Amino acid sequence: MIAVLQALGFATASETALGAQEVSIRAAQILNAQNGGLHISSACPVIVDYVRLYKPEFTSCIMPLASPLLTHAKLLKNLYGTDSAVVFIGPCIGKKNEADRQSDLLAAALTFDDLKYWIKEAYIDPETLPDDGQKFTPENAYEGSLYSLDGGMNETLRRCGVKDNVQLINICSLELFGDALKNLEAPKLAAPVFIEALACVGGCIAGPCAAGKRSRLLMITDILQHTQYRKNIPAQPRVIEPRQYAPANIAPKQYSLEEMQAALKKLGKYTPEDELNCSGCGYNSCRDLAQALLDGAAEVSMCASYMRKTATRKAAAMLKSMPSALIMLDKDLKVLEVNEAFNKMFRENE
């Protein structure tokens, strides 16, 4: 991997797990100083945005620390100078938002899909590159490598010496995370409760742009097998990147019944029966998609049923206008459809 990145023009490569280790040390200190309440990890940018947008009452519960990525970027900037350009490469799309918002720390964020395309575009064959035993800089990561697994951060917190009264919980998926927060009154929690929350089921190794076809189980066992553990974890982190998170305060715009109906009609939804609520577009319901359409945050083409109907209409129009005779049969050779050219041919032969 290091040879590939250098062939693409990078000076060196470093593991973001280094930033994760620094975050865990500081997070353990914060949790050990608490007497109760809810505390949510800030490692996953999707979870952070979800809380800020849809659960703003829990925004103050997010750990006041930057993500491992931003912490790692600051560590690299301290080592190699503020004029150095740091680029993140991983399986996460959400990191692109972090790069856009923190351009002082991150020059760009790429997915593994992006990297594969870049390697192919540059005509680089990784198998032909020399393996001369290069190592990640400034050093190899240790227990921070566990962050990519469900429950990995909590394991690092245990190794950092978090107190026994701190309850460590890991939750993967936005749905489960949202359910966990329902009807919860955080101040009433008698013991400190820390949630390691990740948006992707299975952790970061299951990110949308992992770009690999390996068995998930093999990936987990490889990480567990190759992760090295420090006997003595430093009492203080080398770098801290504090953050305070605030609610997004984006109030949904209210539209009239006529506007909503017009948007639904654009999606081919004329009656309640047409509203399938299949979630294929990424929204929970057809009305949510219509709302996003009016907000300018969605497109009609996102509706699978609408696109299917459109494709069927276009196919019918194409068959109708074809100059060649066409007949469609089912498996029992029963006629399903014929086009105008077929009808005309038989009329002429009568």
Side-chain angles (χ1 to χ4, degrees):
M1 177 62 75
I2 297 173
V4 168
L5 294 175
Q6 289 181 334
L8 290 172
F10 290 99
T12 186
S14 183
E15 295 180 279
T16 298
L18 292 176
Q21 292 170 181
E22 306 303 314
V23 169
S24 288
I25 294 172
R26 181 59 184 149
Q29 292 175 341
I30 294 173
L31 290 171
N32 287 339
Q34 306 301 315
N35 295 319
L38 177 68
H39 309 274
I40 302 171
S41 63
S42 59
C44 178
V46 178
I47 289 291
V48 170
D49 283 346
Y50 174 80
V51 174
R52 294 180 62 242
L53 286 165
Y54 304 109
K55 301 287 184 180
E57 65 273 23
F58 294 102
T59 305
S60 60
C61 299
I62 301 174
M63 273 283 176
L65 299 171
S67 68
L69 167 57
L70 297 179
T71 304
H72 182 217
K74 184 173 181 179
L75 175 66
L76 295 176
K77 290 277 188 178
N78 290 346
L79 289 173
Y80 300 108
T82 55
D83 59 339
S84 57
V86 178
V87 176
F88 172 81
I89 304 174
C92 180
I93 295 176
K95 298 298 185 185
K96 290 182 179 288
N97 275 342
E98 284 194 288
D100 290 341
R101 296 168 183 169
Q102 299 290 330
S103 57
D104 57 322
L105 292 175
L106 282 173
L110 305 178
T111 65
F112 285 136
D113 280 337
D114 295 331
L115 178 62
K116 287 180 69 175
Y117 181 81
W118 190 4
I119 293 171
K120 183 177 180 180
E121 191 179 52
Y123 298 102
I124 294 174
D125 181 3
E127 298 297 329
T128 64
L129 298 177
D131 182 9
D132 51 4
Q134 296 185 69
K135 295 183 179 180
F136 291 110
T137 56
E139 62 195 31
N140 287 336
Y142 291 90
E143 68 280 351
S145 300
L146 297 174
Y147 260 63
S148 58
L149 303 178
D150 179 10
M153 181 179 182
N154 282 341
E155 178 61 27
T156 65
L157 290 175
R158 293 185 184 95
R159 292 178 178 273
C160 287
V162 73
K163 292 181 178 178
D164 292 338
N165 69 317
V166 178
Q167 299 176 3
L168 302 177
I169 300 171
N170 49 287
I171 299 176
C172 280
S173 90
L174 288 175
E175 182 180 3
L176 293 177
F177 179 66
D179 288 343
L181 298 183
K182 282 182 180 177
N183 304 319
L184 175 63
E185 296 183 45
K188 291 187 177 182
L189 294 172
V193 176
F194 176 78
I195 300 180
E196 175 200 326
L198 299 172
C200 296
V201 179
C204 299
I205 61 169
C209 293
K213 297 181 180 179
R214 295 182 63 214
S215 161
R216 187 82 54 79
L217 180 61
L218 286 179
M219 294 171 67
I220 294 172
T221 56
D222 278 354
I223 292 173
L224 293 175
Q225 180 180 354
H226 292 97
T227 298
Q228 298 182 6
Y229 302 97
R230 293 178 289 183
K231 293 182 179 179
N232 298 307
I233 295 178
Q236 297 295 330
R238 288 178 292 179
V239 60
I240 298 175
E241 183 66 5
R243 281 289 187 280
Q244 293 297 327
Y245 299 94
N249 291 327
I250 301 178
K253 188 176 179 180
Q254 300 298 319
Y255 295 99
S256 66
L257 178 61
E258 291 75 17
E259 289 175 312
M260 287 293 292
Q261 288 176 335
L264 286 168
K265 287 179 180 178
K266 287 184 179 180
L267 298 168
K269 315 295 181 185
Y270 297 94
T271 65
E273 290 73 23
D274 293 330
E275 299 177 28
L276 303 178
N277 301 326
C278 66
S279 300
C281 59
Y283 291 91
N284 291 326
S285 69
C286 295
R287 291 182 177 269
D288 286 347
L289 176 58
Q291 170 91 24
L293 197 65
L294 292 170
D295 289 338
E299 299 178 0
V300 173
S301 59
M302 294 170 63
C303 178
S305 62
Y306 170 80
M307 294 303 293
R308 189 179 299 112
K309 291 178 182 177
T310 301
T312 302
R313 288 197 300 268
K314 289 183 177 180
M318 181 184 69
L319 295 177
K320 183 178 180 181
S321 60
M322 282 179 64
S324 302
L326 184 140
I327 180 171
M328 296 178 64
L329 309 173
D330 65 10
K331 63 180 181 179
D332 298 319
L333 300 183
K334 292 182 179 179
V335 177
L336 296 176
E337 188 175 350
V338 297
N339 67 351
E340 186 61 29
F342 184 92
N343 282 331
K344 184 178 180 181
M345 181 178 68
F346 275 85
R347 285 197 302 268
E348 290 175 350
N349 293 332
E350 290 179 352

